[in-house]
Coordinates of all heavy atoms in Angstrom, one line a residue:
M1 N 0.8 -1.2 0.0 CA 0.0 0.0 0.0 C 0.9 1.2 0.0 O 2.0 1.2 0.6 CB -0.9 0.0 1.2 CG -2.0 0.9 1.2 SD -3.3 0.7 2.4 CE -4.1 -0.7 1.8
I2 N 0.5 2.3 -0.7 CA 1.2 3.5 -0.7 C 0.5 4.5 0.2 O -0.7 4.6 0.3 CB 1.2 4.1 -2.2 CG1 1.9 3.1 -3.1 CG2 1.8 5.5 -2.2 CD1 1.8 3.5 -4.6
R3 N 1.3 5.2 1.0 CA 0.8 6.2 2.0 C 0.9 7.5 1.3 O 1.9 7.9 0.6 CB 1.7 6.2 3.2 CG 1.2 7.0 4.3 CD 2.2 6.8 5.5 NE 1.8 7.7 6.6 CZ 1.1 7.4 7.6 NH1 0.7 6.1 7.7 NH2 0.7 8.2 8.5
T4 N -0.2 8.3 1.4 CA -0.2 9.6 0.8 C -0.9 10.6 1.8 O -1.4 10.2 2.9 CB -1.0 9.6 -0.5 OG1 -0.9 10.8 -1.2 CG2 -2.5 9.3 -0.3
Q5 N -0.8 11.9 1.5 CA -1.4 12.9 2.3 C -2.3 13.8 1.5 O -2.0 14.1 0.3 CB -0.2 13.7 2.9 CG -0.7 14.8 3.8 CD 0.5 15.6 4.5 OE1 1.7 15.1 4.4 NE2 0.3 16.7 5.0
I6 N -3.4 14.2 2.1 CA -4.3 15.1 1.4 C -4.7 16.3 2.3 O -4.5 16.1 3.6 CB -5.6 14.4 0.9 CG1 -6.4 13.9 2.1 CG2 -5.3 13.3 -0.1 CD1 -7.8 13.4 1.7
S7 N -5.2 17.3 1.8 CA -5.7 18.5 2.6 C -7.2 18.6 2.4 O -7.7 18.5 1.3 CB -5.0 19.8 2.1 OG -3.6 19.7 2.2
L8 N -7.9 18.7 3.6 CA -9.3 18.8 3.6 C -9.7 20.1 4.4 O -9.0 20.5 5.3 CB -10.0 17.6 4.3 CG -9.7 16.3 3.7 CD1 -10.2 15.2 4.7 CD2 -10.3 16.1 2.4
S9 N -10.8 20.7 4.0 CA -11.4 21.8 4.9 C -11.8 21.2 6.2 O -12.0 20.0 6.3 CB -12.5 22.4 4.2 OG -13.7 21.5 4.2
E10 N -11.9 22.0 7.2 CA -12.3 21.5 8.5 C -13.7 20.9 8.4 O -14.0 19.9 9.1 CB -12.3 22.7 9.5 CG -11.0 23.1 9.9 CD -11.0 24.2 11.0 OE1 -11.9 24.2 11.8 OE2 -10.1 25.1 10.9
Q11 N -14.6 21.5 7.6 CA -15.9 20.9 7.5 C -15.9 19.6 6.8 O -16.6 18.6 7.2 CB -16.8 21.9 6.6 CG -17.1 23.2 7.3 CD -16.0 24.2 7.1 OE1 -15.0 24.0 6.4 NE2 -16.1 25.4 7.7
D12 N -15.1 19.4 5.7 CA -15.1 18.1 5.0 C -14.4 17.0 6.0 O -14.9 15.9 6.0 CB -14.2 18.2 3.7 CG -15.0 18.9 2.6 OD1 -16.2 19.1 2.7 OD2 -14.3 19.4 1.7
Y13 N -13.4 17.4 6.7 CA -12.8 16.5 7.6 C -13.7 16.0 8.7 O -13.9 14.8 8.9 CB -11.5 17.1 8.3 CG -10.8 16.3 9.3 CD1 -10.0 15.2 8.8 CD2 -11.0 16.4 10.6 CE1 -9.4 14.4 9.7 CE2 -10.4 15.6 11.5 CZ -9.6 14.6 11.1 OH -8.9 13.8 12.0
A14 N -14.5 17.0 9.3 CA -15.4 16.6 10.3 C -16.5 15.7 9.8 O -16.9 14.7 10.4 CB -16.0 17.9 10.9
A15 N -17.0 16.0 8.6 CA -18.1 15.2 8.0 C -17.6 13.8 7.7 O -18.3 12.8 7.9 CB -18.6 15.9 6.7
A16 N -16.4 13.7 7.1 CA -15.8 12.4 6.8 C -15.6 11.6 8.0 O -15.9 10.4 8.1 CB -14.5 12.6 6.0
K17 N -15.0 12.2 9.1 CA -14.8 11.5 10.3 C -16.2 11.0 10.9 O -16.2 9.8 11.4 CB -14.1 12.4 11.4 CG -12.7 12.7 11.1 CD -11.8 11.5 11.3 CE -11.6 11.2 12.8 NZ -10.6 10.2 13.1
Q18 N -17.2 11.8 10.8 CA -18.5 11.4 11.4 C -19.1 10.2 10.6 O -19.6 9.3 11.1 CB -19.4 12.6 11.3 CG -20.8 12.3 11.9 CD -21.7 13.6 11.9 OE1 -21.3 14.6 11.4 NE2 -22.8 13.5 12.5
E19 N -18.9 10.3 9.2 CA -19.4 9.2 8.4 C -18.6 7.9 8.6 O -19.2 6.8 8.7 CB -19.4 9.6 6.9 CG -19.9 8.5 6.0 CD -21.4 8.2 6.2 OE1 -22.1 8.9 7.0 OE2 -21.9 7.3 5.5
A20 N -17.3 8.0 8.8 CA -16.5 6.8 9.0 C -16.9 6.2 10.4 O -17.1 5.0 10.5 CB -15.0 7.2 9.1
A21 N -17.2 7.1 11.4 CA -17.6 6.5 12.7 C -19.0 5.9 12.6 O -19.2 4.8 13.2 CB -17.6 7.7 13.7
R22 N -19.9 6.5 11.8 CA -21.2 5.9 11.6 C -21.1 4.5 11.0 O -21.8 3.6 11.4 CB -22.1 6.8 10.8 CG -23.5 6.4 10.6 CD -24.3 7.2 9.6 NE -23.9 7.0 8.2 CZ -24.3 5.9 7.5 NH1 -25.1 5.0 8.1 NH2 -23.9 5.8 6.3
L23 N -20.2 4.4 10.0 CA -20.0 3.1 9.4 C -19.1 2.1 10.1 O -19.0 0.9 9.8 CB -19.4 3.3 8.0 CG -20.2 4.1 7.0 CD1 -19.4 4.4 5.7 CD2 -21.5 3.3 6.6
G24 N -18.5 2.6 11.2 CA -17.6 1.8 12.0 C -16.3 1.4 11.3 O -15.7 0.3 11.5
I25 N -15.8 2.4 10.4 CA -14.5 2.1 9.7 C -13.6 3.3 10.0 O -14.1 4.4 10.5 CB -14.8 2.0 8.2 CG1 -15.5 3.2 7.6 CG2 -15.6 0.7 7.9 CD1 -15.7 3.2 6.1
S26 N -12.4 3.2 9.6 CA -11.4 4.3 9.7 C -11.7 5.4 8.6 O -12.3 5.1 7.6 CB -10.0 3.8 9.6 OG -9.8 3.3 8.3
L27 N -11.1 6.5 8.9 CA -11.2 7.6 7.9 C -10.5 7.1 6.6 O -11.0 7.4 5.5 CB -10.6 8.9 8.4 CG -10.5 10.1 7.5 CD1 -11.9 10.5 7.0 CD2 -9.8 11.2 8.1
A28 N -9.3 6.5 6.7 CA -8.6 6.0 5.6 C -9.5 5.0 4.7 O -9.5 5.1 3.5 CB -7.3 5.3 6.0
E29 N -10.2 4.1 5.4 CA -11.0 3.2 4.7 C -12.2 3.9 4.0 O -12.5 3.6 2.9 CB -11.5 2.1 5.6 CG -12.4 1.1 4.9 CD -11.8 0.3 3.8 OE1 -10.6 0.3 3.7 OE2 -12.6 -0.3 3.0
L30 N -12.8 4.9 4.6 CA -13.8 5.7 4.0 C -13.3 6.3 2.7 O -14.0 6.3 1.7 CB -14.3 6.7 5.0 CG -15.4 7.6 4.4 CD1 -16.7 6.9 4.3 CD2 -15.5 8.9 5.2
L31 N -12.1 6.9 2.8 CA -11.5 7.6 1.6 C -11.2 6.6 0.5 O -11.4 6.8 -0.7 CB -10.3 8.4 2.0 CG -10.6 9.6 3.0 CD1 -9.3 10.2 3.4 CD2 -11.6 10.5 2.4
R32 N -10.7 5.4 0.9 CA -10.4 4.4 -0.1 C -11.7 3.9 -0.8 O -11.7 3.8 -2.1 CB -9.7 3.1 0.5 CG -8.3 3.3 0.8 CD -7.6 2.0 1.2 NE -8.0 1.6 2.5 CZ -7.5 1.9 3.7 NH1 -6.4 2.7 3.7 NH2 -7.9 1.4 4.8
R33 N -12.7 3.7 0.0 CA -14.0 3.3 -0.6 C -14.6 4.4 -1.5 O -15.1 4.2 -2.6 CB -15.1 3.0 0.5 CG -14.8 1.8 1.2 CD -15.8 1.5 2.3 NE -15.5 0.4 3.1 CZ -16.3 -0.1 4.0 NH1 -17.5 0.5 4.2 NH2 -15.9 -1.2 4.7
S34 N -14.4 5.7 -1.1 CA -14.9 6.8 -1.9 C -14.1 6.9 -3.3 O -14.8 7.1 -4.3 CB -14.7 8.1 -1.2 OG -15.4 8.1 0.0
L35 N -12.8 6.6 -3.2 CA -12.1 6.6 -4.5 C -12.5 5.5 -5.4 O -12.6 5.7 -6.6 CB -10.6 6.5 -4.2 CG -9.9 7.8 -3.7 CD1 -8.5 7.5 -3.3 CD2 -9.9 8.9 -4.8
R36 N -12.7 4.3 -4.8 CA -13.1 3.2 -5.6 C -14.5 3.4 -6.3 O -14.8 2.9 -7.4 CB -13.2 1.9 -4.8 CG -11.8 1.3 -4.5 CD -11.9 -0.1 -4.0 NE -12.6 -0.2 -2.7 CZ -11.9 -0.2 -1.5 NH1 -10.6 -0.1 -1.5 NH2 -12.6 -0.3 -0.4
A37 N -15.3 4.3 -5.7 CA -16.6 4.6 -6.2 C -16.5 5.5 -7.4 O -17.4 5.4 -8.3 CB -17.5 5.2 -5.1
V38 N -15.5 6.3 -7.6 CA -15.4 7.2 -8.7 C -14.4 6.8 -9.7 O -14.5 7.3 -10.9 CB -15.1 8.6 -8.2 CG1 -16.2 9.2 -7.3 CG2 -13.7 8.7 -7.5
I39 N -13.4 5.9 -9.4 CA -12.5 5.4 -10.4 C -13.0 4.3 -11.2 O -13.5 3.3 -10.5 CB -11.1 5.0 -9.7 CG1 -10.5 6.3 -9.0 CG2 -10.2 4.4 -10.7 CD1 -9.3 6.0 -8.2
P40 N -13.0 4.3 -12.5 CA -13.6 3.2 -13.3 C -12.9 1.9 -13.0 O -11.7 1.9 -12.8 CB -13.5 3.6 -14.7 CG -13.1 5.1 -14.7 CD -12.5 5.4 -13.3
P41 N -13.6 0.8 -13.0 CA -12.9 -0.5 -12.7 C -12.1 -0.9 -13.9 O -12.3 -0.4 -15.0 CB -14.1 -1.5 -12.6 CG -15.3 -0.8 -13.2 CD -15.1 0.6 -13.1
D42 N -11.1 -1.8 -13.7 CA -10.2 -2.3 -14.7 C -11.1 -3.2 -15.6 O -11.5 -4.3 -15.1 CB -9.1 -3.0 -14.1 CG -8.1 -3.6 -15.1 OD1 -8.4 -3.6 -16.3 OD2 -7.0 -4.1 -14.6
E43 N -11.4 -2.8 -16.8 CA -12.3 -3.6 -17.7 C -11.7 -4.9 -18.1 O -12.4 -5.8 -18.6 CB -12.7 -2.8 -18.9 CG -13.6 -1.6 -18.5 CD -14.9 -2.0 -17.8 OE1 -15.5 -3.0 -18.1 OE2 -15.3 -1.2 -16.9
S44 N -10.4 -5.1 -17.9 CA -9.8 -6.4 -18.3 C -10.1 -7.4 -17.2 O -9.8 -8.6 -17.4 CB -8.2 -6.3 -18.4 OG -7.6 -6.0 -17.2
K45 N -10.6 -7.0 -16.1 CA -11.0 -7.9 -15.0 C -12.4 -7.5 -14.5 O -12.6 -6.8 -13.5 CB -10.0 -7.7 -13.8 CG -8.6 -8.1 -14.2 CD -7.7 -7.8 -13.0 CE -6.2 -8.0 -13.4 NZ -5.3 -7.5 -12.4
P46 N -13.4 -7.8 -15.3 CA -14.8 -7.4 -15.0 C -15.3 -7.7 -13.6 O -16.1 -7.0 -13.0 CB -15.7 -8.0 -16.1 CG -14.8 -9.1 -16.7 CD -13.4 -8.7 -16.4
W47 N -14.8 -8.8 -13.0 CA -15.3 -9.3 -11.7 C -14.8 -8.3 -10.6 O -15.3 -8.2 -9.5 CB -14.8 -10.7 -11.4 CG -13.3 -10.8 -11.5 CD1 -12.6 -11.2 -12.7 CD2 -12.3 -10.6 -10.5 NE1 -11.3 -11.2 -12.4 CE2 -11.0 -10.8 -11.1 CE3 -12.3 -10.2 -9.2 CZ2 -9.8 -10.7 -10.5 CZ3 -11.1 -10.0 -8.5 CH2 -9.9 -10.3 -9.2
M48 N -13.7 -7.5 -10.9 CA -13.1 -6.6 -9.9 C -14.1 -5.5 -9.6 O -14.0 -4.9 -8.5 CB -11.8 -6.0 -10.5 CG -10.7 -6.9 -10.4 SD -10.3 -7.4 -8.7 CE -9.6 -5.9 -8.0
R49 N -15.1 -5.2 -10.4 CA -16.0 -4.1 -10.0 C -16.8 -4.5 -8.8 O -17.4 -3.6 -8.1 CB -17.0 -3.8 -11.2 CG -18.1 -4.8 -11.4 CD -18.9 -4.3 -12.6 NE -18.1 -4.0 -13.7 CZ -18.3 -4.5 -14.9 NH1 -19.3 -5.3 -15.2 NH2 -17.5 -4.2 -15.9
Y50 N -16.8 -5.8 -8.4 CA -17.5 -6.2 -7.2 C -16.6 -6.4 -6.0 O -17.1 -6.7 -4.9 CB -18.3 -7.5 -7.5 CG -19.2 -7.4 -8.6 CD1 -19.0 -7.9 -9.9 CD2 -20.4 -6.6 -8.5 CE1 -19.9 -7.8 -10.9 CE2 -21.3 -6.4 -9.5 CZ -21.0 -7.0 -10.7 OH -21.9 -6.8 -11.8
A51 N -15.3 -6.3 -6.2 CA -14.3 -6.5 -5.1 C -14.6 -5.5 -4.0 O -14.8 -4.3 -4.2 CB -12.9 -6.4 -5.6
G52 N -14.6 -6.0 -2.8 CA -14.8 -5.2 -1.6 C -16.2 -4.7 -1.3 O -16.4 -3.9 -0.4
M53 N -17.2 -5.2 -2.1 CA -18.5 -4.7 -1.9 C -19.2 -5.5 -0.7 O -20.1 -4.9 -0.1 CB -19.3 -4.9 -3.2 CG -18.9 -3.9 -4.3 SD -19.9 -4.1 -5.7 CE -21.5 -3.4 -5.2
V54 N -18.8 -6.7 -0.5 CA -19.4 -7.5 0.6 C -18.5 -7.4 1.8 O -17.4 -7.9 1.8 CB -19.7 -8.9 0.2 CG1 -20.2 -9.7 1.3 CG2 -20.6 -9.0 -1.0
E55 N -18.9 -6.8 2.9 CA -18.1 -6.7 4.1 C -19.0 -7.1 5.2 O -20.0 -6.6 5.5 CB -17.7 -5.2 4.3 CG -16.7 -5.1 5.5 CD -16.0 -3.8 5.5 OE1 -15.7 -3.3 4.4 OE2 -15.9 -3.3 6.6
T56 N -18.6 -8.2 5.9 CA -19.4 -8.8 6.9 C -18.7 -8.7 8.3 O -19.4 -8.8 9.3 CB -19.6 -10.3 6.7 OG1 -18.3 -11.0 6.8 CG2 -20.2 -10.6 5.3
G57 N -17.4 -8.5 8.3 CA -16.7 -8.5 9.6 C -16.4 -9.9 10.1 O -15.8 -10.1 11.1
D58 N -16.9 -10.9 9.3 CA -16.6 -12.3 9.6 C -15.4 -12.8 8.8 O -15.5 -12.8 7.6 CB -17.9 -13.1 9.2 CG -17.8 -14.6 9.4 OD1 -16.7 -15.1 9.8 OD2 -18.8 -15.3 9.2
S59 N -14.4 -13.2 9.5 CA -13.1 -13.6 8.8 C -13.3 -14.9 8.0 O -12.5 -15.2 7.2 CB -12.0 -13.8 9.8 OG -12.3 -14.8 10.7
R60 N -14.4 -15.6 8.2 CA -14.7 -16.9 7.5 C -15.8 -16.7 6.5 O -16.4 -17.7 6.0 CB -15.0 -18.0 8.5 CG -13.9 -18.2 9.5 CD -14.2 -19.3 10.5 NE -14.1 -20.5 9.8 CZ -14.5 -21.7 10.2 NH1 -15.2 -21.8 11.3 NH2 -14.4 -22.8 9.5
S61 N -16.1 -15.5 6.1 CA -17.3 -15.2 5.2 C -17.1 -15.8 3.9 O -18.1 -16.2 3.2 CB -17.5 -13.7 5.1 OG -16.4 -13.1 4.5
S62 N -15.8 -16.0 3.4 CA -15.6 -16.6 2.1 C -16.1 -18.1 2.1 O -16.5 -18.6 1.0 CB -14.2 -16.6 1.7 OG -13.4 -17.3 2.5
E63 N -16.2 -18.7 3.2 CA -16.7 -20.0 3.3 C -18.2 -20.1 3.2 O -18.8 -21.1 2.9 CB -16.3 -20.7 4.6 CG -14.8 -20.8 4.8 CD -14.4 -21.3 6.1 OE1 -15.2 -21.8 6.9 OE2 -13.2 -21.1 6.5
R64 N -18.9 -18.9 3.4 CA -20.3 -18.9 3.4 C -20.8 -17.8 2.3 O -21.9 -17.2 2.5 CB -20.8 -18.5 4.7 CG -20.4 -19.4 5.8 CD -20.9 -19.0 7.2 NE -20.7 -17.6 7.6 CZ -21.6 -16.7 7.7 NH1 -22.9 -16.9 7.4 NH2 -21.3 -15.4 8.0
I65 N -20.1 -17.7 1.2 CA -20.4 -16.6 0.3 C -21.8 -16.7 -0.3 O -22.5 -15.7 -0.4 CB -19.3 -16.6 -0.9 CG1 -19.5 -15.3 -1.7 CG2 -19.4 -17.8 -1.7 CD1 -19.2 -14.0 -0.9
D66 N -22.3 -17.9 -0.6 CA -23.7 -18.0 -1.1 C -24.7 -17.5 -0.1 O -25.6 -16.8 -0.5 CB -24.0 -19.5 -1.5 CG -23.3 -19.9 -2.7 OD1 -22.9 -19.0 -3.5 OD2 -23.2 -21.1 -2.9
E67 N -24.5 -17.8 1.2 CA -25.4 -17.4 2.2 C -25.4 -15.8 2.3 O -26.4 -15.2 2.5 CB -25.1 -18.0 3.5 CG -26.0 -17.6 4.7 CD -25.6 -18.1 6.0 OE1 -24.9 -19.1 6.0 OE2 -26.0 -17.6 7.0
I68 N -24.2 -15.3 2.2 CA -24.0 -13.8 2.3 C -24.6 -13.1 1.1 O -25.3 -12.1 1.3 CB -22.5 -13.5 2.5 CG1 -22.0 -14.0 3.8 CG2 -22.3 -12.0 2.3 CD1 -20.5 -14.0 3.9
V69 N -24.4 -13.6 0.0 CA -24.9 -13.0 -1.3 C -26.4 -13.2 -1.4 O -27.2 -12.3 -1.7 CB -24.1 -13.5 -2.5 CG1 -24.8 -12.9 -3.8 CG2 -22.7 -13.0 -2.4
Y70 N -26.9 -14.5 -1.2 CA -28.2 -14.8 -1.5 C -29.1 -14.9 -0.3 O -30.3 -15.1 -0.5 CB -28.3 -16.1 -2.3 CG -27.5 -16.1 -3.6 CD1 -26.3 -16.8 -3.7 CD2 -27.9 -15.3 -4.7 CE1 -25.6 -16.8 -4.9 CE2 -27.1 -15.3 -5.8 CZ -26.0 -16.0 -5.9 OH -25.2 -15.9 -7.1
G71 N -28.6 -14.9 0.9 CA -29.4 -15.0 2.1 C -29.4 -16.4 2.6 O -29.0 -17.4 1.9
P72 N -29.8 -16.7 3.8 CA -29.8 -18.0 4.4 C -30.8 -18.9 3.6 O -31.8 -18.5 3.1 CB -30.3 -17.8 5.8 CG -30.9 -16.5 5.9 CD -30.4 -15.7 4.7
E73 N -30.5 -20.2 3.6 CA -31.4 -21.2 3.0 C -32.7 -21.3 3.8 O -32.7 -21.1 5.0 CB -30.7 -22.6 3.0 CG -29.6 -22.7 1.9 CD -29.1 -24.1 1.8 OE1 -29.9 -25.1 1.8 OE2 -27.9 -24.3 1.8
R74 N -33.7 -21.5 3.0 CA -35.0 -21.6 3.7 C -35.5 -23.0 3.6 O -35.4 -23.7 2.7 CB -36.0 -20.6 3.1 CG -35.5 -19.2 3.3 CD -36.5 -18.3 2.7 NE -35.9 -17.0 2.3 CZ -35.7 -16.0 3.1 NH1 -36.1 -16.0 4.3 NH2 -35.1 -14.9 2.6

């Protein structure tokens, strides 16, 4: 990962911190997600447009991907 620095107005910084707290994520993660939302996906890898969209907090979620995507079996 590359570390970088940005400048924000006090209002933007406060709003971003508040939104990150509401989502339960760091400010850095909020900014990464925001960038991914505006940067076009790599069209040579069409599946990448979905990368990072499912976040469960469960480290074993990849074992239950169908349940996460489609919901529990009935």
Side-chain angles (χ1 to χ4, degrees):
M1 194 167 287
I2 297 172
R3 186 177 176 98
T4 190
Q5 182 175 345
I6 63 170
S7 298
L8 301 172
S9 70
E10 288 183 33
Q11 295 84 4
D12 288 343
Y13 178 78
K17 288 288 283 187
Q18 183 177 5
E19 181 63 7
R22 185 185 74 77
L23 294 171
I25 60 175
S26 68
L27 177 59
E29 179 61 17
L30 177 76
L31 296 175
R32 283 189 290 271
R33 289 180 184 186
S34 299
L35 283 172
R36 283 193 296 267
V38 298
I39 296 173
D42 181 350
E43 293 302 324
S44 70
K45 300 174 185 171
W47 56 270
M48 283 298 290
R49 74 178 54 126
Y50 302 108
M53 291 182 69
V54 176
E55 185 168 321
T56 66
D58 178 356
S59 62
R60 301 181 74 196
S61 61
S62 63
E63 297 171 17
R64 303 180 310 108
I65 192 67
D66 287 341
E67 180 183 342
I68 292 166
V69 173
Y70 302 112
E73 284 187 47
R74 298 180 209 270

